[in-house]
Amino acid sequence: MAELSTIARPYAAAAFAAAKDSQVGLETWAKAVKQLSEVVSVPEVIKILSDPKTTDADSIAVFDTVLPNMPTDVKNFVQLVVENDRWLVLPQIAEQFEQLKNEHEGKAIAQITSAFELTQEQVEDLVKSLEKKFSVSLEPEVKVDSALIGGVRVIVGDQVLDTSVQAQITRLHDKLVAE
């Protein structure tokens, strides 16, 4: 079976194209697509939508009930996703939609993982230097992972900058084993 992100890509692209042309705006679409992905993460909803007795109309009604204020063009998107039995990939669609939106706005998300808690000032300084390196406005998402031992790991899109002690130890180990 194809990877979920591969299946999600054309739907995210179609939703993004519709959102750019939509009168409700990109932000409204982004919020709606995120909400749709959250809806299909609820076990009760998954159970209903997975039931073979549930028709497409019933599935669409579930989304309408949970998110009653969806704009018409978002409802049309939901109908397309349901009719093609792709509602399970809504989280991946939302993720890719957000990436497309960020690219369009000239920004990206920087997933910063540190061995220790960073102060707001440290995060701001790191983001400033990363913005110069990646030539894009960055929105930080900061996590702590003590397994890194020290340093930070930064992921921006498909690029990884890993200056953690754990990564250095791994590189040293690989070098020693290779020799």
Side-chain angles (χ1 to χ4, degrees):
M1 182 175 162
E3 190 171 328
L4 294 180
S5 62
T6 303
I7 295 169
R9 189 171 296 115
Y11 290 93
F16 183 73
K20 284 194 329 187
D21 295 338
S22 173
Q23 291 183 353
V24 298
L26 202 51
E27 286 302 319
T28 302
W29 261 88
K31 181 180 175 187
V33 171
K34 182 174 173 138
Q35 289 173 330
L36 290 170
S37 77
E38 291 168 354
V39 167
V40 297
S41 300
V42 176
E44 293 83 10
V45 173
I46 293 172
K47 185 176 180 181
I48 292 168
L49 297 176
S50 298
D51 189 335
K53 295 177 186 171
T54 302
T55 65
D56 287 350
D58 294 336
S59 296
I60 293 167
V62 168
F63 287 104
D64 282 340
T65 302
V66 178
L67 303 170
N69 298 324
M70 279 189 296
T72 304
D73 41 357
V74 176
K75 286 182 183 185
N76 293 338
F77 176 71
V78 169
Q79 183 176 351
L80 174 74
V81 169
V82 168
E83 287 173 353
N84 290 317
D85 200 26
R86 298 299 193 206
W87 58 268
L88 264 175
V89 297
L90 278 167
Q92 289 78 13
I93 292 171
E95 184 179 306
Q96 291 184 23
F97 183 94
E98 187 67 24
Q99 288 174 349
L100 291 168
K101 179 180 164 289
N102 285 340
E103 285 175 22
H104 176 73
E105 295 172 346
K107 60 183 180 179
I109 294 176
Q111 297 173 340
I112 302 170
T113 307
S114 173
F116 303 99
E117 192 73 35
L118 297 173
T119 66
Q120 186 62 33
E121 185 179 322
Q122 289 172 317
V123 171
E124 289 171 5
D125 289 344
L126 181 57
V127 167
K128 282 180 187 175
S129 65
L130 290 169
E131 285 177 340
K132 289 177 186 172
K133 178 176 179 52
F134 291 105
S135 301
V136 67
S137 175
L138 295 173
E139 185 177 315
E141 288 182 357
V142 183
K143 295 186 292 185
V144 175
D145 181 0
S146 59
L148 296 179
I149 305 169
V152 294
R153 176 182 300 134
V154 179
I155 301 173
V156 177
D158 60 355
Q159 298 182 45
V160 179
L161 177 63
D162 195 345
T163 63
S164 68
V165 173
Q166 179 190 40
Q168 292 173 19
I169 290 171
T170 302
R171 283 192 292 269
L172 181 62
H173 174 267
D174 291 347
K175 217 177 211 181
L176 290 172
V177 171
E179 291 178 4

